[in-house]
Amino acid sequence: MKKMLALMTCLSLMLSLPLLAAPQTVRFEAMKKQLAGTPVGDIRAGSTIKLPLITWGGDIATILANGDARKTRQGSIFAKAGLSFELVREDVFANQVKSYMRGESPYLRGTLGMINMASELLAADPRTKPVVVYQLTWSAGGDALAVNSKIRTAADLKGKTIGVQAYGPHVYYMSRLLADAGLSLKDVKLKWYPDLTGTDNTPMAAMQTGEVDAAFAITPDAMLLTSGGTVGTGAEGSVRGARILLSTRTANRVISDVYVVRSDYFKQHRKQVEAFVGGLMQGAEELRELAASKGSSGYKKTFTTSAELLLDSSLALADAEGLYGDCQFVEWKGNTDFFANPNYPRSLEQLSSEIQTSLIGLGLLNGRVNLAQAGWDYNLFKQKLRFTDRSESPRFDSSQVTSVIARKQQQGTLQEGELFSFEIFFEPNQNTFAVDLYQSAFDKVIQFSATYGGALITVEGNSDPLGYLRKKKSGESSIVLGRVKQAAKNLSLSRAMAVRDNITHYAGQKGITLDPSQFAVVGHGISKPRNGVCGQDPCPPKTEKEWRDNMRVEFRILQVEAESSVFNPL
């Protein structure tokens, strides 16, 4: 009887607790189908243009250029250029597209992934064909993938359920991560949600209710799921065991924010659009200077206004600062590379090609759509700017990297934090690695370096243990065997260094400069044989394949955000 009363009491308590409702999913279909029937109108006449914003740190520079006001303020950067805007925040991309098509605004503001989602729809009418005119930023920390305790690497996503916002900024992010992990869309189950944040119908809410194993979310939501970016405790909205697998602090060349303009407006008002782009570049420069003088009246004015326009409250100053900290402004140099450097690995053409491949795979595009660009003469913009030759500093502290890698090697934990890995093989006594033999692998490393600029790339050499095993079998002394082991380690290190140097040289020939601080070279010698360890020594290879499999150089892409002494945020 007491057990029955206790059970009834527990049930009563459970029924009295608020239950989390299952988040609503949406059908994710091509925008050409979703917005079919939206009329195309001519651009509405008027001296003031409606300019869309989204809730993102990159838009703070636009607000500054507008005079820290919703409507262009006299004396502002835009006003001096003869421009007049009314800033309108619209985070629902479909609403932006409708306004653009109807002629209410000639501009679209979104990630390049979002723009490509609408490209087929917009290209159907010559008036609305999108022309990409400016890149504002890269996401460098604002977006993340939170995963449950069963997922340790990107490859572990196979067979899992992933929550993503439909028509949002993470669609390509998700596709790129899967592709780099050697997975296809068929390897996972996708659930699409209508909202990104702030409602019960988001990927974050789906992970909280256990509907998905992983969720793409803005970083504040991912931090909530993981108890502040560590490991979720299950309390205060977190999910027990959840952690952040990958953020755009590591994958800092995936989400690109851009402005596009209607083709008809661009043809008729090219000079005004050019002035707009020049004003955005000047705004980004001034914002960087303001950020360096935190506490000044100008700083407070810009960020307070941005909090009001982007977050609906002038009191949300800290949140506006957080938005700014989560992005990297590309300014003049970045725009020049993005639009005009054919060798740049993350150019508009390259990125659009990757995005459209993923959208075709999802059934959101029927085929390739050519995204036009303005074709600016960037030297004309340069004349009004002051910091066009600014170069990036090394992203990693090399001495700390050496220390961390040595520690991980000793502890056998190099695989912790691994996102992806792959390997190349060599022949016995081979010490050179010609490009013609390894070009595809070298290209892959260059793309990983460009896309995951916040990740550490280890180049790990491994040696064949057969020579050591033969000497041990013949009864050689421990001193001789120790020397053989050390020689194998030295040889594997020199091979790994040769591979790294050849990749760097090959990239340089293509006009690409790699950050040397991003690469860590490791020589394992015979300590990590492919066919395992028997006792304290490598197991003897039983076949020629097992023997050859030990002669390899492995590339490992490591997330090291937790190693604060190693990683310098951009």
Side-chain angles (χ1 to χ4, degrees):
M1 186 65 179
K2 288 182 179 179
K3 288 184 179 180
M4 180 64 72
L5 287 171
L7 180 60
M8 291 176 66
T9 302
C10 287
L11 287 172
S12 176
L13 287 171
M14 289 174 64
L15 290 172
S16 68
L17 291 173
L19 296 176
L20 290 174
Q24 294 181 358
T25 58
V26 294
R27 182 181 177 84
F28 192 22
E29 57 188 5
M31 291 198 81
K32 188 175 181 179
K33 183 176 181 180
Q34 184 204 22
L35 300 182
T38 303
V40 174
D42 295 329
I43 300 297
R44 296 184 183 179
S47 57
T48 299
I49 297 293
K50 288 187 176 180
L51 184 67
L53 306 176
I54 64 174
T55 306
W56 178 239
D59 296 73
I60 297 175
T62 311
I63 293 168
L64 185 153
N66 208 45
D68 297 322
R70 190 179 300 277
K71 292 190 175 181
T72 304
R73 193 187 300 274
Q74 187 175 359
S76 67
I77 292 172
F78 285 154
K80 289 177 181 178
L83 303 172
S84 178
F85 292 117
E86 179 185 355
L87 305 182
V88 180
R89 192 183 90 227
E90 181 52 80
D91 290 314
V92 179
F93 187 59
N95 291 343
Q96 266 202 63
V97 173
K98 291 176 186 177
S99 177
Y100 174 96
M101 293 178 70
R102 291 192 293 244
E104 295 165 8
S105 173
Y107 288 99
L108 268 183
R109 168 71 184 89
T111 69
L112 190 60
M114 293 156 68
I115 301 300
N116 273 283
M117 272 187 263
S119 60
E120 193 169 37
L121 170 69
L122 302 180
D125 190 298
R127 292 171 291 176
T128 59
K129 283 184 177 180
V131 181
V132 189
V133 296
Y134 185 72
Q135 183 190 15
L136 290 83
T137 60
W138 293 104
S139 175
D143 304 273
L145 172 63
V147 298
N148 65 24
S149 59
K150 296 178 181 178
I151 300 170
R152 305 304 301 175
T153 71
D156 295 335
L157 290 167
K158 186 173 183 178
K160 302 298 191 297
T161 302
I162 305 174
V164 193
Q165 184 204 17
Y167 309 106
H170 299 145
V171 178
Y172 166 62
Y173 186 11
M174 176 270 301
S175 297
R176 178 64 200 246
L177 177 63
L178 291 177
D180 286 339
L183 302 176
S184 72
L185 295 169
K186 295 179 181 179
D187 290 320
V188 298
K189 181 179 180 181
L190 299 173
K191 286 195 172 185
W192 303 102
Y193 298 90
D195 302 319
L196 181 62
T197 186
T199 75
D200 293 331
N201 300 312
T202 65
M204 179 186 77
M207 191 164 179
Q208 289 171 324
T209 59
E211 298 234 331
V212 299
D213 301 297
F216 282 91
I218 59 172
T219 294
D221 288 354
M223 296 285 278
L224 178 63
L225 289 168
T226 59
S227 298
T230 55
V231 179
T233 62
E236 298 179 337
S238 71
V239 173
R240 181 175 293 277
R243 65 187 187 88
I244 293 176
L245 179 67
L246 177 69
S247 86
T248 51
R249 194 174 178 216
T250 293
N252 60 1
R253 292 293 184 272
V254 174
I255 300 179
S256 168
D257 280 85
V258 298
Y259 265 113
V260 307
V261 68
R262 282 176 48 140
S263 181
D264 56 353
Y265 185 84
F266 182 68
K267 290 175 182 176
Q268 297 167 18
H269 303 281
R270 183 183 174 94
K271 285 294 182 183
Q272 288 93 325
V273 179
E274 186 176 328
F276 168 58
V277 168
L280 289 173
M281 290 185 186
Q282 292 177 57
E285 278 199 345
E286 287 197 16
L287 180 59
R288 180 153 49 85
E289 290 185 274
L290 271 185
S293 61
K294 187 174 181 179
S296 68
S297 59
Y299 175 92
K300 186 175 180 180
K301 182 180 179 183
T302 293
F303 279 85
T304 299
T305 305
S306 297
E308 182 178 347
L309 295 182
L310 301 179
L311 301 162
D312 297 322
S313 172
S314 59
L315 300 178
L317 182 62
D319 296 304
E321 291 172 333
L323 288 175
Y324 174 76
D326 283 337
C327 62
Q328 182 195 4
F329 285 87
V330 303
E331 301 181 36
W332 178 86
K333 177 65 166 62
N335 273 274
T336 304
D337 282 338
F338 190 67
F339 290 103
N341 182 354
N343 293 318
Y344 184 50
R346 309 308 291 155
S347 67
L348 170 66
E349 184 177 353
Q350 175 65 31
L351 201 54
S352 290
S353 175
E354 294 173 8
I355 291 169
Q356 291 191 17
T357 296
S358 69
L359 294 178
I360 291 170
L362 287 164
L364 301 175
L365 287 181
N366 290 319
R368 300 285 178 179
V369 179
N370 179 45
L371 278 184
Q373 61 163 293
W376 304 122
D377 179 354
Y378 286 94
N379 289 321
L380 296 178
F381 297 119
K382 191 175 184 179
Q383 296 170 10
K384 295 183 179 180
L385 301 170
R386 289 174 292 164
F387 303 108
T388 55
D389 296 323
R390 183 168 60 95
S391 58
E392 291 184 2
S393 58
R395 292 188 291 267
F396 298 88
D397 184 323
S398 297
S399 62
Q400 291 293 333
V401 166
T402 301
S403 175
V404 167
I405 293 300
R407 186 190 75 227
K408 284 179 172 289
Q409 189 177 4
Q410 291 169 0
Q411 296 173 340
T413 59
L414 268 174
Q415 73 281 4
E416 289 185 6
E418 177 186 310
L419 295 170
F420 322 103
S421 63
F422 68 99
E423 55 199 9
I424 60 175
F425 298 90
F426 51 86
E427 295 294 324
N429 303 315
Q430 178 182 333
N431 295 312
T432 59
F433 298 84
V435 171
D436 57 348
L437 290 177
Y438 297 102
Q439 183 174 349
S440 62
F442 288 4
D443 284 334
K444 192 171 184 178
V445 172
I446 291 170
Q447 275 295 332
F448 273 130
S449 173
T451 306
Y452 302 91
L456 191 65
I457 301 176
T458 61
V459 186
E460 306 174 31
N462 294 271
S463 293
D464 162 37
L466 196 55
Y468 167 85
L469 293 172
R470 283 172 175 161
K471 287 189 177 296
K472 184 171 184 178
K473 187 175 181 180
S474 67
E476 290 287 359
S477 68
S478 59
I479 295 176
V480 171
L481 293 175
R483 288 173 181 169
V484 172
K485 274 188 176 181
Q486 187 60 49
K489 188 171 184 177
N490 294 343
L491 180 59
S492 66
L493 180 64
S494 66
R495 281 174 172 152
M497 291 176 67
V499 170
R500 178 204 59 191
D501 293 345
N502 281 15
I503 292 172
T504 302
H505 179 70
Y506 171 62
Q509 289 181 321
K510 299 178 69 173
I512 301 167
T513 301
L514 299 180
D515 179 0
S517 75
Q518 189 181 14
F519 292 84
V521 179
V522 179
H524 290 301
I526 62 172
S527 65
K528 292 183 64 180
R530 174 55 53 78
N531 48 311
V533 176
C534 297
Q536 295 183 338
D537 291 321
C539 295
K542 297 177 181 178
T543 64
E544 182 179 352
K545 183 180 183 304
E546 285 188 357
W547 171 59
R548 289 186 174 276
D549 281 352
N550 287 319
M551 293 178 276
R552 69 192 191 278
V553 173
E554 186 172 13
F555 300 94
R556 202 184 305 271
I557 317 302
L558 296 176
Q559 176 163 276
V560 290
E561 290 181 26
E563 302 282 354
S564 57
S565 63
V566 172
F567 181 72
N568 298 315
L570 286 164

